[in-house]
Amino acid sequence: MSRWLIGTVLFSSVTACTPSQDRSYASKFVSGNTVVHEVFWGVDHKTPYPFTTSGEILCVYYPDFGIEVYFEPAGYSKDSSIGTPLNKAAAKALKRDGMKPNVPYSIKKGADLSEAVEVGLRACGE
């Protein structure tokens, strides 16, 4: 099972968390995603929309590694895509695995990612 599980992109705020069916990661593996779009961001958030395009904020929780939060632009929802890391756990996991994001860089220069990371953490927590 891919580490970056993604649902279909819709332009609304949808959150889904599902336990993994792959027992190799342990029974507590959880992933989640939240669809984000600049038009809707201002309704629930105080910081400006941090991305250059719509997409999904993804989280993956591994008991051994913690919660990793990533952003994937709309249209790059594939099992082989590697999103842009939004928190330290995600950046460390990619570095440890010798991997690099392979989606277009979609974070606005100087953007405050704090609320985006919170969105990802909530997606795994629900």
Side-chain angles (χ1 to χ4, degrees), residues 3-94:
R3 288 176 48 147
W4 296 272
L5 302 173
I6 306 170
T8 305
V9 175
L10 300 173
F11 293 117
S12 63
S13 180
V14 178
T15 303
C17 290
T18 57
S20 171
Q21 300 302 316
D22 184 349
R23 300 214 182 261
S24 67
Y25 287 115
S27 61
K28 292 185 179 180
F29 169 83
V30 175
S31 67
N33 67 304
T34 300
V35 177
V36 292
H37 191 279
E38 189 165 14
V39 172
F40 303 112
W41 186 263
V43 174
D44 297 319
H45 305 283
K46 294 177 183 172
T47 59
Y49 187 69
F51 308 108
T52 59
T53 186
S54 60
E56 291 180 273
I57 297 175
L58 312 167
C59 75
V60 182
Y61 171 72
Y62 294 95
D64 296 338
F65 308 125
I67 298 175
E68 301 167 25
V69 181
Y70 299 88
F71 174 76
E72 285 198 11
Y76 286 87
S77 302
K78 303 174 189 172
D79 284 340
S80 62
S81 64
I82 302 170
T84 303
L86 299 183
N87 67 351
K88 289 180 183 180
K92 286 179 182 178
L94 290 182

